[in-house]
Amino acid sequence: MAQLGGDLALVGARLRTNTGEHADATALLIQAGRIALLGDDDTVRAAAQERGIAVRELGGATITPGFFDSHTHPHWAAEVTAGIDLGGLETIDEIRAAIAAEHAQLPEGAWVRGWNLEYEPFEETGLRGDLLADAAPGRPVALICYDLHTGLGTAPALAAAGITGAREFEDASEIVVDADGTPTGELREPTAYQILFDAAPKPSPEEEREGLRDMFRTLAAVGLTGGAIMDGKDRTVELLGELEERGELDHRVTVHHWHAVSDTDADVARVIAGKARAGRLWQTGAIKLFSDGVIDTGTAWLHRVDACGDGRVPFWPSWERYGEVVRAYHDAGMLIATHAVGDYAVSQVLDVYATLPARDGLPFHSIEHLEVLSDADVEQLRGSGVTASMQPLHMQWRAADHSDNWTVRLGEGRDATGYRVRDVLDAGVELTLGSDWPVAQYDPRLGMAWARGRHTPGDAHAHVFEPEQQLTGEEAVLAYTLWPARARGHADRGVLAVGAVGDVTVWGADPVTATPDELPELPVRLTVVEGRVVHEA
């Protein structure tokens, strides 16, 4: 049976309300899932006692509104993170050794699955499945790169998926082949690599539901009370409904339905018809589209070509069709998020958004990632009403000596235009932060650390990337709390105020005043969703 909002009193704390009010409050009371009172300890204790509500003493902890990840893939992550974590493996030999170890302990018929694969080990050879095949003789091996834009399969995996050569796709996806037409194993963009992963053994419906439930509980352990799912599908919605009905949903979720380039007008109409699907803690009515790919594979859409001559092709064969689809969803009252990594992609999406008529009482749309921006793009963002959903955490793969694949691909000097969160904010654009999990770590403490410090936290000698782009402690917290709520039109979220939803994160120290180097170890004391404690440490 679905759980209702809970009752909880928290006293002995510092409150970051995000409202400018109740600056001296040290306690709050949540009743039936909503904040009913803010005040001093004695006042809240007395009210709690009168109403029979349990009181928790926090001993000087800091309470913020619940943290919200503005770009995440928990349903997908529950599947793709089931295999080997290949992050940090720097050579093909290291990757082969990890595959061999997994192969040795798997039962017959199982696939070797791996995630978080990095591009750098393959800089000289290119991504090739034959480099890994004899690490698991005869067994299908299917890997996905850390950015979720490229897959890699060995010959047995390709055969199981029926991938025998190049194919034409309606979007920018590609099955990479040799000169003789033989697949190399590299599969660019989701439409291509999903053919491979669809052929792999699948969890049962019960295992899938429990995996998503457990993923949400994992996210709660780092202080997250909710997130925007950016790869929503009908099955995602079904699982959320099942979890809530079973009283097992511990996360507040906005589901962005993933629109594929191949989707027809009938598909658009079907999604629009289901836009009102919602539960107590989850809602639909939002869309995710792509305008380009990623810089590392040359599929980002750039103002000028990258060092390999790539970067001038959009994800859509017809950009006019993108505009038609956006207008249909906009007119239906839906919230649109468009992936745009490259600077030209950002500009082109802004051009389309600028043609949309005003909608009374509804929030405007977002652009996701904005990894590189020219000065002209920043000015184009000014006054657009667009939310910039960004992930400075992704800078962790950059190298101080400019040797990383992302920087080399962009070309000399262009890395300095990356992750311009300060310039975007100073242009008056609403900024939200997120992880893109499982692309990067889901922990918002790491997200804040990178947004503020722009260096590897905890490393006294770490290079600082574009220090002029650093955010303040308060801005980083706002970008995980108030600003995501405003971007979705929720006046009762992202704040500590009477009537607001009782989603709060309780920290062992103040995340605003903690240094970027201190943030990753900042204790998460409680995570509370609708007055229910869903994590306690």
Side-chain angles (χ1 to χ4, degrees):
M1 182 177 178
Q3 289 176 280
L4 301 179
D7 301 333
L8 181 67
L10 302 174
V11 303
R14 174 174 186 174
L15 274 57
R16 290 281 184 182
T17 66
N18 290 348
T19 65
E21 300 180 2
H22 299 286
D24 298 328
T26 59
L28 62 79
L29 178 71
I30 301 171
Q31 188 168 18
R34 298 242 167 205
I35 297 175
L37 178 66
L38 295 94
D40 60 47
D41 290 357
D42 290 342
T43 300
V44 170
R45 276 199 195 94
Q49 183 176 7
E50 179 183 336
R51 304 176 198 190
I53 295 174
V55 176
R56 288 180 182 250
E57 303 278 349
L58 296 181
T62 297
I63 305 174
T64 66
F67 268 45
F68 188 94
D69 188 324
S70 289
H71 190 120
T72 185
H73 304 275
H75 186 190
W76 200 359
E79 175 188 355
V80 301
T81 61
I84 318 165
D85 183 355
L86 301 167
L89 301 187
E90 298 180 349
T91 68
I92 291 174
D93 284 344
E94 289 176 345
I95 297 167
R96 285 166 48 85
I99 292 171
E102 183 78 351
H103 167 68
Q105 59 90 31
L106 285 175
E108 185 176 352
W111 287 36
V112 170
R113 296 286 298 269
W115 62 288
N116 217 6
L117 182 68
E118 298 180 12
Y119 293 101
E120 278 74 10
F122 300 91
E123 281 181 339
E124 295 183 4
T125 62
L127 284 164
R128 299 190 60 90
D130 56 13
L131 298 172
L132 310 173
D134 61 358
R139 189 189 295 277
V141 177
L143 313 178
I144 192 165
C145 289
Y146 72 90
D147 59 4
L148 303 186
H149 280 265
T150 307
L152 180 62
T154 59
L158 297 177
I163 298 174
T164 58
R167 299 186 193 181
E168 292 293 327
F169 295 102
E170 294 190 46
D171 56 25
S173 297
E174 178 184 2
I175 296 172
V176 179
V177 297
D178 282 335
D180 63 359
T182 302
T184 66
E186 180 181 359
L187 306 165
R188 295 179 180 171
E189 302 299 336
T191 307
Y193 71 61
Q194 203 57 50
I195 299 170
L196 177 69
F197 292 109
D198 283 345
K202 294 287 187 293
S204 69
E206 293 77 17
E207 290 170 334
E208 186 182 19
R209 185 185 66 237
E210 291 169 3
L212 183 58
R213 177 201 64 194
D214 293 346
M215 180 60 64
F216 287 144
R217 292 175 179 175
T218 297
L219 300 178
V222 295
L224 288 167
T225 61
I229 295 180
M230 287 291 169
D231 60 323
K233 43 190 175 287
D234 289 340
R235 181 58 179 154
T236 311
V237 175
E238 291 171 5
L239 288 171
L240 291 171
E242 290 176 19
L243 287 173
E244 191 162 67
E245 181 60 30
R246 294 167 63 91
E248 296 178 344
L249 182 60
D250 299 329
H251 219 56
R252 190 178 298 279
V253 177
T254 297
V255 179
H256 287 252
H257 185 93
W258 190 327
H259 179 99
V261 170
S262 59
D263 284 352
T264 65
D265 288 344
D267 294 319
V268 173
R270 179 182 60 81
V271 172
I272 290 173
K275 69 178 184 178
R277 290 177 297 178
R280 187 179 181 96
L281 288 178
W282 59 274
Q283 63 183 74
T284 57
I287 294 295
K288 163 72 177 302
L289 306 97
F290 284 80
S291 66
D292 68 347
V294 291
I295 288 162
D296 289 277
T297 61
T299 54
W301 201 10
L302 303 168
H303 282 297
R304 57 186 174 89
V305 296
D306 64 21
C308 298
D310 296 321
R312 292 298 298 157
V313 179
F315 200 69
W316 295 67
S318 167
W319 190 241
E320 290 73 20
R321 173 61 177 167
Y322 167 83
E324 292 172 359
V325 169
V326 166
R327 179 61 186 266
Y329 288 130
H330 174 87
D331 288 350
M334 301 186 76
L335 184 66
I336 298 167
T338 302
H339 166 119
V341 163
D343 43 17
Y344 192 65
V346 173
S347 177
Q348 290 297 292
V349 171
L350 286 170
D351 282 348
V352 172
Y353 283 1
T355 67
L356 301 174
R359 304 184 302 183
D360 292 339
L362 293 174
F364 199 54
H365 309 304
S366 72
I367 298 179
E368 306 295 313
H369 307 307
L370 307 95
E371 280 191 15
V372 288
L373 294 170
S374 71
D375 290 344
D377 303 323
V378 174
E379 285 306 306
Q380 191 177 0
L381 280 162
R382 190 186 301 274
S384 66
V386 166
T387 294
S389 173
M390 301 177 72
Q391 299 85 35
L393 174 62
H394 293 189
M395 289 189 292
Q396 65 185 280
W397 293 291
R398 295 174 66 181
D401 64 0
H402 309 288
S403 63
D404 59 282
N405 185 69
W406 183 87
T407 298
V408 171
R409 260 284 189 175
L410 272 175
E412 187 174 357
R414 293 172 76 180
D415 57 327
T417 68
Y419 305 95
R420 297 177 64 174
V421 286
R422 165 57 54 203
D423 290 340
V424 166
L425 199 57
D426 287 350
V429 178
E430 197 93 298
L431 173 72
T432 62
L433 295 177
S435 65
D436 204 10
W437 166 247
V439 171
Q441 303 94 323
Y442 49 76
D443 194 331
R445 296 170 296 183
L446 285 173
M448 288 191 291
W450 274 96
R452 292 175 53 189
R454 296 180 73 93
H455 68 268
T456 303
D459 183 352
H461 305 290
H463 178 76
V464 178
F465 297 100
E466 300 85 42
E468 70 278 4
Q469 296 296 330
Q470 292 172 331
L471 298 184
T472 68
E474 183 176 18
E475 289 164 345
V477 169
L478 288 169
Y480 271 106
T481 55
L482 177 61
W483 295 342
R486 290 205 306 221
R488 289 163 180 81
H490 298 309
D492 62 349
R493 303 180 193 175
V495 295
L496 303 181
V498 173
V501 295
D503 297 355
V504 304
T505 307
V506 180
W507 309 90
D510 190 345
V512 170
T513 59
T515 69
D517 288 330
E518 292 169 341
L519 279 170
E521 302 302 321
L522 190 68
V524 178
R525 295 270 302 276
L526 295 174
T527 305
V528 179
V529 176
E530 273 210 329
R532 293 185 292 112
V533 176
V534 298
H535 168 77
E536 182 172 7

